[in-house]
């Protein structure tokens, strides 16, 4: 059974930082590109970043470039997302998913981790 368990979210002030984690199991993690998605209140699912199997290639949506960094540790079957210089518009539920791009596959049910940026 494929499981993706996100953690690390929280309430942070604008300009602050967080590090999200995604623990993966039930599939060959080091053979799968991985993706972060997010969903803000009242909005659709948004692609944030995708990382290649070895972690050497990563792509980001324009709004987070230079602020967010995705990485992975294949020895721990874990995907990470470091969020820096956070803005109120980054407030969302964050999900990890298998695959590359907007249509990557989340766990079912998808748990997510909530990031709230507010003063």
């Amino acid at each position: 059974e494929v499981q993706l368990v996100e953690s690390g979210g929280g309430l942070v002030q604008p300009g602050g930082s967080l590090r999200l984690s995604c623990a993966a199991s039930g599939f060959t993690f080091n053979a799968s590109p991985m993706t972060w998605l997010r969903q803000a209140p009242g909005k659709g699912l948004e692609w944030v970043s995708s990382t290649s199997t070895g972690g050497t290639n990563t792509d980001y949506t324009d709004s987070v470039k230079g602020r967010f960094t995705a990485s992975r540790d294949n020895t721990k079957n874990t995907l990470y997302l470091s969020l820096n210089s956070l803005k109120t518009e980054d407030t969302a539920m964050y999900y990890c998913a298998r695959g590359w791009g907007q249509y990557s596959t989340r766990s079912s049910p998808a748990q997510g981790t909530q990031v709230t940026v507010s003063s």
Side-chain angles (χ1 to χ4, degrees), residues 29-52:
F29 181 75
N30 62 11
S32 180
M34 294 295 295
T35 286
W36 285 100
L37 305 167
R38 67 184 179 183
Q39 187 164 22
K43 296 189 177 180
L45 203 58
E46 177 188 22
W47 171 74
V48 176
S49 74
S50 292
T51 303
S52 62

Side-chain angles (χ1 to χ4, degrees), residues 52-71:
S52 62
T53 54
T56 54
N57 294 318
T58 305
D59 198 11
Y60 301 92
T61 192
D62 286 346
S63 63
V64 309
K65 283 181 180 176
R67 301 188 299 119
F68 290 10
T69 302
S71 61

Side-chain angles (χ1 to χ4, degrees), residues 103-119:
Y103 301 105
S104 298
T105 304
R106 295 180 290 168
S107 274
S108 181
Q111 171 192 317
T113 188
Q114 177 69 40
V115 172
T116 302
V117 185
S118 174
S119 54

